[in-house]
């Protein structure tokens, strides 16, 4: 029964997030907001909505380890699982913005998360505000410097809808995210108690994989269609958003307390390690390209992470 609640919750999160994304992009296009702003704000918020709703719900119900595990596990899944599988199917060309801006920001965000947790085992409201302020500064810099590298995902979702459909999609999408998160948190916490595993384990495995399913599906579809709808920049952007926005906003609503020390002593180092190894991969064996061998290594690393987590 608990597993059924988790599955139904994940399905609602996936479809709710997709409907919310469609309505948000359609509304932005109707308001004649530029694609670059849509790509870096509206799309980012909509595609990370499942992680955000799950984390806020988990923190408010006292399951902070589930909230932290969801974000850390999602970041590991984005690079180890999603990027790994994508690279097994197709070679990815890397933009220079990767090592000049996106990768350093992702690493700084990851290190800040570690420092804040290691300090007193709590992400406070002030620290959450600081993380969110960094996201605002990052987006402002991208807008003022007119970076164009993060707009390709918008092309997949560039749809025009009548006003009534925008309202319907937004309402159903928002309700789906709320109900999905409720069922997912209820099922996950009960499952953890039933099998004697911690909220952390459920968060960094089952929940994080579930909330990363949209990115994985989009990546595979993009490869099949031979379109660059998902790039390394998009996945790194998702990781940046997960820490600066999801953790930041959640902490501003309610402090996120760490209970299971293995999130700090193990899982977060897996996240940092996979993030760090991406830099040399981009330059070896060929500059600015990632190949199937990189994907295999990332996938093996992710499977090892799951093996040592369980």
């Amino acid at each position: 029964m608990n597993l059924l609640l988790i599955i139904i919750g994940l399905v609602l999160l996936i479809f709710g997030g997709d409907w919310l994304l469609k309505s948000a992009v359609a509304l932005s296009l109707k308001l004649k907001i530029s694609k670059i702003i849509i790509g870096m704000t509206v799309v980012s918020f909509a595609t990370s909505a499942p992680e955000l709703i799950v984390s806020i719900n988990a923190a408010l119900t006292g399951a902070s380890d589930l909230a932290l595990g969801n974000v850390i596990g999602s970041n590991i899944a984005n690079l180890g699982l999603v990027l790994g599988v994508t690279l097994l199917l197709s070679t990815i060309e890397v933009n220079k913005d990767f090592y000049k801006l996106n990768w350093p920001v992702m690493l700084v965000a990851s290190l800040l998360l570690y420092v804040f947790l290691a300090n007193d085992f709590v992400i406070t409201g002030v620290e959450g505000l600081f993380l969110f302020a960094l996201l605002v500064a990052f987006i402002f810099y991208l807008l003022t410097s007119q970076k164009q590298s993060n707009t390709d995902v918008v092309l997949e979702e560039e749809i025009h809808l009548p006003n009534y459909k925008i309202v319907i999609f937004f309402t159903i999408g928002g309700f789906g995210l709320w109900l999905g998160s409720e069922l997912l948190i209820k099922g996950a916490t009960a499952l953890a108690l039933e099998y004697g595993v911690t909220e952390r384990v459920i968060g960094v495995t089952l929940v994080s994989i579930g909330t990363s399913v949209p990115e994985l599906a989009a990546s595979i579809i993009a490869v099949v269609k031979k379109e660059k709808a998902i790039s390394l920049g998009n996945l790194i952007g998702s990781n940046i958003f997960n820490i600066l926005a999801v953790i930041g906003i959640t902490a501003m609503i309610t402090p996120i307390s760490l209970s299971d020390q293995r999130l700090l002593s193990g899982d977060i180092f897996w996240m940092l390690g996979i993030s760090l190894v991406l830099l040399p991969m981009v330059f070896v064996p060929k500059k600015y390209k990632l190949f199937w061998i990189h994907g295999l290594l990332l996938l093996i690393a992710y499977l090892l992470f799951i093996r040592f987590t369980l």
Side-chain angles (χ1 to χ4, degrees):
M1 188 59 173
N2 292 325
L3 189 59
L4 182 61
L5 286 177
I6 291 173
I7 293 171
I8 295 174
L10 287 174
V11 170
L12 286 171
L13 282 171
I14 292 167
F15 282 98
D18 184 54
W19 281 43
L20 185 67
L21 173 60
K22 282 181 169 59
S23 67
V25 173
L27 178 62
S28 303
L29 292 170
K30 193 174 287 288
L31 295 175
K32 301 188 185 302
I33 298 174
S34 69
K35 289 182 182 179
I36 186 169
I37 295 178
I38 296 172
M40 287 181 294
T41 56
V42 177
V43 174
S44 294
F45 272 95
T47 53
S48 289
E51 286 90 345
L52 178 60
I53 299 299
V54 167
S55 293
I56 291 174
N57 202 334
L60 286 173
T61 54
S64 290
D65 281 350
L66 197 60
L68 286 169
N70 177 34
V71 169
I72 293 173
S74 290
N75 280 15
I76 296 171
N78 277 346
L79 299 183
L81 178 63
V82 179
L83 182 59
V85 170
T86 304
L87 288 173
L88 288 179
L89 300 173
S90 176
T91 298
I92 287 181
E93 293 190 11
V94 181
N95 192 291
K96 289 184 179 181
D97 283 342
F98 164 77
Y99 67 88
K100 288 184 176 180
L101 178 66
N102 299 332
W103 183 82
V105 171
M106 178 183 69
L107 198 62
V108 167
S110 301
L111 288 170
L112 278 173
L113 178 61
Y114 172 76
V115 170
F116 288 161
L117 282 175
N119 181 45
D120 55 6
F121 309 122
V122 177
I123 304 291
T124 66
V126 173
E127 290 167 341
L129 179 61
F130 181 76
L131 291 174
F132 188 71
L134 281 182
L135 177 68
V136 173
F138 176 60
I139 293 175
F140 179 76
Y141 174 79
L142 287 174
L143 293 176
T144 54
S145 59
Q146 290 298 295
K147 300 291 181 182
Q148 298 292 332
S149 59
N150 291 331
T151 61
D152 46 1
V153 71
V154 179
L155 300 178
E156 281 290 290
E157 298 293 343
E158 189 174 333
I159 53 176
H160 297 271
L161 298 172
N163 292 338
Y164 77 94
K165 281 192 176 181
I166 292 177
V167 174
I168 292 174
F169 275 40
F170 184 84
T171 303
I172 295 177
F175 179 75
L177 285 173
W178 171 79
L179 183 58
S181 70
E182 288 282 338
L183 295 177
L184 181 62
I185 298 303
K186 184 177 180 180
T189 51
L191 193 67
L193 289 172
E194 183 180 341
Y195 287 96
V197 297
T198 63
E199 292 171 356
R200 160 196 162 262
V201 171
I202 298 294
V204 299
T205 56
L206 199 60
V207 177
S208 66
I209 291 173
T211 53
S212 292
V213 165
E215 285 91 345
L216 179 59
S219 295
I220 294 174
I221 290 170
V223 170
V224 171
K225 290 184 176 180
K226 296 183 179 180
E227 297 174 351
K228 295 181 180 179
I230 294 293
S231 66
L232 178 61
N234 295 127
L235 292 174
I236 287 181
S238 177
N239 281 15
I240 292 171
F241 194 89
N242 279 344
I243 295 174
L244 299 184
V246 175
I247 292 293
I249 293 172
T250 302
M252 284 191 288
I253 294 173
T254 180
I256 308 174
S257 302
L258 176 71
S259 297
D260 194 326
Q261 295 298 316
R262 284 171 294 183
L263 274 167
L264 188 60
S265 63
D267 302 333
I268 202 165
F269 285 108
W270 279 95
M271 182 182 76
L272 288 167
I274 291 180
S275 299
L276 281 168
V277 80
L278 274 181
L279 187 62
M281 281 185 173
V282 168
F283 296 99
V284 179
K286 191 173 181 180
K287 278 187 175 183
Y288 310 133
K289 278 195 175 183
L290 290 171
F291 301 93
W292 69 267
I293 188 64
H294 297 128
L296 182 61
L297 291 173
L298 288 170
L299 199 54
I300 289 173
Y302 185 72
L303 292 175
L304 285 173
F305 162 69
I306 295 296
R307 169 65 183 82
F308 285 114
T309 298
L310 298 176

